[in-house]
Amino acid sequence: MPGSVEEWENRYSGAEAVWSGRPNVALVDVVTDLDLTPGRSLDVGSGEGADAIWLAGRGWQAAGIDLSPTAITRSRVAAETAGADADFAVANLVDWAAADDHRGAYDLVTGCFLHTRLPDTRADLMRHLGELVSPGETLILISHATVPPWAAREDSEHGEAGHEHGLDGDFSTPEEDFTLLTAGGSRPWECVLAETRNRPVTGPDGTETELDDGILVARKV
C-alpha cells in the first residue's frame, strides 16, 4: 500500500489502469440492500471513479476525492464517457473533513479499502470519515479481511515484507472500526451491519481464489 501522495500518484501514472472500471461488488450489494434514498454522496479514496459513477447512475449527487491527480483525471473521463453527473477532486481526507461546507454535508460516505500503515492512524481515519456524515445518515466502509496470496508473492520477489505495504494481515475488523468511529465523536452512531463476506477473485496470474471483505455500515444518530 503506498504511503504518500507521491507513491499513490506513481502507482496510477505508472499503469494504464489500476482498477477494473467496475464498482465494488460488496458496495453495490450493500447499497442495494439498504434501499437508501439518493442524496449527496462522497466516495473517499475514489481511485478511478467507478463507485461514485455507479452511485451517480442511481440518482445520487455523487462526488469522489483521491490523492492522485492521474486517478481523478481518469475518473472525470470515465464519468463523461458513462454520461454520469459525478464530481471529482484531488484532495486528502483531513482537509476535506475540516472544511465547513463538507463537514456533516453528506447523506452517504463510502470508503473501500482505506487501510492505514500504522494502527494509531486508524482512529483518525474513522473520526474524519464520521465528520463528513450528516446526522441520521450513513457511512459504508469496506475493508480487506484477508491478504491476497499474490501480494505475498510480489513482496517476496521484491525482497519486501508485506507489512511495508499495509498487507501484513493485521486488519481492523468491522467491529473494531465501529468502536473507533464512536470513540471521539460528538454524536452517537448506530451499527447497522458489521460482518465479513467472502468473494471469488482472479489473481494477476489467472489463479482463482477467494478473499474476505470486512463490511461496516453505520448510521449517525
Side-chain angles (χ1 to χ4, degrees), residues 31 36-41 51-63 83-86 107-108:
V31 171
L36 301 172
T37 300
R40 192 179 182 195
S41 69
D51 292 341
I53 291 169
W54 181 82
L55 287 166
R58 278 137 191 87
W60 290 86
Q61 185 183 341
D85 187 12
D107 304 296
L108 174 63

Side-chain angles (χ1 to χ4, degrees), residues 138-218:
T138 304
L139 168 69
I140 299 175
L141 189 66
I142 298 170
S143 304
H144 290 300
T146 52
V147 180
W150 56 84
R153 290 196 297 269
E154 289 172 357
D155 285 336
S156 177
E157 290 171 2
H158 292 88
E160 298 171 330
H163 71 270
E164 293 176 354
H165 297 283
L167 292 174
D168 59 358
D170 188 17
F171 299 123
S172 295
T173 66
E175 293 82 3
E176 289 169 340
D177 279 340
F178 183 73
T179 297
L180 294 175
L181 178 67
T182 59
S186 58
R187 301 183 66 98
W189 289 80
E190 172 193 1
C191 184
V192 178
L193 178 69
E195 67 179 36
T196 300
R197 294 184 182 179
N198 185 267
R199 61 183 167 97
V201 296
T202 302
D205 61 357
T207 302
E208 301 291 334
T209 187
E210 294 183 341
L211 295 177
D212 291 332
D213 294 331
I215 300 174
L216 172 64
V217 180

